[in-house]
Amino acid sequence: NNNKNNNKNNNKNNNKNNNGVNLKNLEIFDTTLRDGEQTPEVSFPIKAKLEIASKLDELGVNTIEAGFPITSNGEFEAVKKIKQLDLNATICGLSRCSNKDIDAVIDCDLDRIHLFIATSPLHREYKLKKSKEQILNKISESIIYAKEHGLSVEFSAEDATRTELDYLIRVYKEAITSKVDYIDIPDTVGILTPKKMENLIKDLKSGLETNKAINNSSTLTNQINIKSNMQMPVLSVHCHNDFGLAVANSLSAFEQGVSQIHCTVNGIGERAGNTDLAEFVSSLKFLCGIEPETLTIKTELLSDISKLVAHYTNIPIAPNKPLVGRNAFAHESGIHTHGVIANALTYEPISPFDVGNKRRLVLGKHAGAHSIKLKLQEMGLNVGKNLSTEQFEEIVDKIKALGDKGKLVLDADLRAIIKDVTS
Ligand code: KIV
Ligand code: ZN
């Protein structure tokens, strides 16, 4: 392997970005088994949930959102069994802000509860039919109830990114005064861009870290002032991929000091899915050169877990899927394969082995003499030794003729061509 991965570069171990934001800490919150399972037509049998949870733990995620225990008896049993696996990861369960839901999480004996309630005007009016004040009350009651039962609490304001900023700050302040441990910002319908994410995190941080008045007179009567000695919870984001920006938005949030990122394997999840775990972690590590001290993902296991999830979801991995797709490190054209044979970095940004994938040199109409020679060598045939130059040229012509018909030349085809030419 001559691919020495010179992209793990420059600012490795540089834990501060240009704005002085600390990038030392990063926790990967995996929601493959919860939001991922909400992918249309996906339902994991218990066996699949247990196997995926074990592999996620081996991969090194910090938290596994095992499911939504109140949903069904099967879901409750699966989540409970995942907790009984006694994995290294924190095991979390989703819950609405209702005691019935919270009790189901308590009964599964989980480490963390992920409480959520929608906060945007659309959801308040059409779904919850609740006032802003009623929602604030639900948040504090639920967090306090869950904490009384010994749970670590993560709180999400569903549809946060379409919520009025002043109200969103009040919502999160309510959660903080109720002693929440994590506050998560869901981009529920994936409408942010990296720049909008950056601005939102900056606004939220300054709104939460200071006790400055929220300048909307109608809300002033219900100001919540955070006591100066109060512990700031861990900030988290949950991005959806409706515009294909979930990974970019998550990177942007991380660069603003958000230290927990929600991800799923293969980016599965509601509609267009969530932040793809392999793409997020690899971009951070190999492109940004940032390896937070707490990042524990073994990137060389990414391709295997991607295959496992594809198997249980029945959603095949697109050949051109970044990093884990079968074409992610495949080369067909003569120019590219020639380059890759000389030094793989010419046409590969990182080594396929870094993410557990394989390099493939494909023979087709764009194939060049170099890759064909290499393939023949792998089969024990060397031009000038046991193969004449004329025979080699005939083999090249036949490969190109097949390629012109739109076919790929697989090993069996090549063996047939060799037999034809040499007999
Ligand atoms: O997308 C979303 O808002 C969610 C919440 C449950 C956090 O999945
Ligand atoms: Zn979601």
Side-chain angles (χ1 to χ4, degrees):
N1 168 25
N2 58 5
N3 188 343
K4 281 276 186 286
N5 192 4
N6 60 3
N7 283 10
K8 276 185 198 166
N9 52 19
N10 320 336
N11 49 350
K12 185 172 176 207
N13 293 332
N14 173 2
N15 289 321
K16 289 230 162 121
N17 69 5
N18 294 342
N19 303 322
V21 178
N22 196 333
L23 305 177
K24 238 180 19 212
N25 299 319
L26 172 63
E27 296 177 42
I28 298 295
F29 177 107
D30 183 275
T31 181
T32 306
L33 297 176
R34 198 281 295 168
D35 211 317
E37 203 188 9
Q38 288 173 219
T39 305
E41 288 149 39
V42 167
S43 170
F44 295 126
I46 290 195
K47 171 184 174 293
K49 279 213 169 211
L50 292 171
E51 199 178 332
I52 294 171
S54 300
K55 287 284 175 211
L56 285 169
D57 196 52
E58 218 181 295
L59 179 70
V61 305
N62 303 86
T63 301
I64 296 173
E65 187 166 42
F68 194 175
I70 196 70
T71 316
S72 70
N73 291 339
E75 178 76 346
F76 179 86
E77 283 310 316
V79 174
K80 200 168 170 175
K81 285 214 167 84
I82 289 174
K83 172 63 188 164
Q84 286 164 358
L85 289 174
D86 203 16
L87 303 173
N88 290 317
T90 297
I91 308 298
C92 178
L94 186 69
S95 164
R96 286 167 296 191
C97 287
S98 96
N99 286 7
K100 205 165 146 243
D101 281 33
I102 300 171
D103 287 341
V105 174
I106 295 168
D107 291 344
C108 287
D109 196 25
L110 302 187
D111 309 305
R112 194 190 300 170
I113 188 166
H114 177 193
L115 287 168
F116 76 100
I117 192 163
T119 53
S120 66
L122 270 169
H123 283 244
R124 291 195 311 258
E125 185 180 344
Y126 294 100
K127 194 180 88 178
L128 297 176
K129 303 193 188 335
K130 285 198 193 313
S131 70
K132 287 178 172 177
E133 301 313 318
Q134 286 171 318
I135 290 170
L136 290 175
N137 287 339
K138 280 255 162 224
I139 294 168
S140 53
E141 276 166 24
S142 304
I143 295 174
I144 291 165
Y145 182 68
K147 292 226 62 130
E148 276 168 3
H149 286 83
L151 286 162
S152 160
V153 180
E154 173 155 348
F155 169 73
S156 279
E158 191 187 12
D159 209 15
T161 54
R162 291 190 299 178
T163 301
E164 309 90 324
L165 182 64
D166 61 346
Y167 181 57
L168 192 62
I169 291 170
R170 289 183 65 206
V171 161
Y172 286 131
K173 280 191 170 183
E174 184 79 43
I176 295 169
T177 43
S178 310
K179 302 217 168 48
V180 77
D181 302 285
Y182 287 76
I183 52 178
D184 179 59
I185 306 151
D187 185 19
T188 301
V189 290
I191 45 120
L192 289 190
T193 62
K195 191 73 199 164
K196 285 182 180 169
M197 175 63 93
E198 182 186 325
N199 292 337
L200 175 64
I201 302 301
K202 281 182 180 156
D203 288 345
L204 275 177
K205 276 177 133 185
S206 72
L208 294 177
E209 279 162 7
T210 64
N211 281 331
K212 72 179 179 210
I214 299 164
N215 58 11
N216 175 344
S217 56
S218 66
T219 64
L220 280 175
T221 47
N222 270 296
Q223 285 295 317
I224 299 151
N225 281 325
I226 295 182
K227 294 197 190 84
S228 54
N229 62 352
M230 208 154 254
Q231 180 80 25
M232 264 298 276
V234 175
L235 277 187
S236 167
V237 290
H238 173 101
C239 295
H240 275 274
N241 203 31
D242 297 67
F243 286 81
L245 291 172
V247 171
N249 292 340
S250 300
L251 283 171
S252 165
F254 175 72
E255 281 170 358
Q256 292 311 311
V258 168
S259 56
Q260 180 183 265
I261 307 292
H262 284 208
C263 298
T264 62
V265 175
N266 294 343
I268 60 171
E270 290 274 6
R271 305 178 311 282
N274 293 79
T275 301
D276 181 285
L277 193 156
E279 292 170 24
F280 173 74
V281 172
S282 304
S283 304
L284 200 65
K285 183 168 167 182
F286 301 119
L287 291 185
C288 309
I290 299 170
E291 280 190 68
E293 285 166 17
T294 56
L295 182 64
T296 44
I297 301 294
K298 299 187 185 82
T299 56
E300 65 280 8
L301 300 182
L302 287 168
S303 292
D304 273 356
I305 196 159
S306 164
K307 286 193 197 95
L308 183 74
V309 170
H311 168 74
Y312 281 123
T313 52
N314 230 346
I315 303 174
I317 305 165
N320 64 337
K321 182 145 182 73
L323 307 160
V324 298
R326 81 189 148 82
N327 286 353
F329 297 92
H331 311 277
E332 187 197 316
S333 85
I335 298 166
H336 283 220
T337 40
H338 186 190
V340 166
I341 290 165
N343 181 337
L345 284 173
T346 51
Y347 288 104
E348 287 175 358
I350 59 168
S351 160
F353 309 106
D354 284 334
V355 287
N357 204 340
K358 285 203 265 297
R359 178 174 303 130
R360 291 193 311 126
L361 301 184
V362 180
L363 298 185
K365 92 170 181 189
H366 301 109
H370 280 91
S371 54
I372 298 173
K373 250 183 209 159
L374 192 78
K375 194 81 203 165
L376 290 169
Q377 269 168 23
E378 281 170 13
M379 293 177 150
L381 292 171
N382 289 293
V383 182
K385 276 194 187 161
N386 43 8
L387 206 61
S388 72
T389 309
E390 293 72 34
Q391 284 173 323
F392 175 67
E393 280 164 1
E394 209 179 324
I395 290 171
V396 172
D397 287 347
K398 285 186 187 277
I399 288 172
K400 298 229 171 216
L402 268 183
D404 273 337
K405 289 187 193 144
K407 290 192 179 144
L408 274 188
V409 181
L410 305 174
D411 284 3
D413 303 315
L414 186 57
R415 272 193 291 273
I417 292 174
I418 294 166
K419 196 166 169 213
D420 194 29
V421 169
T422 54
S423 59

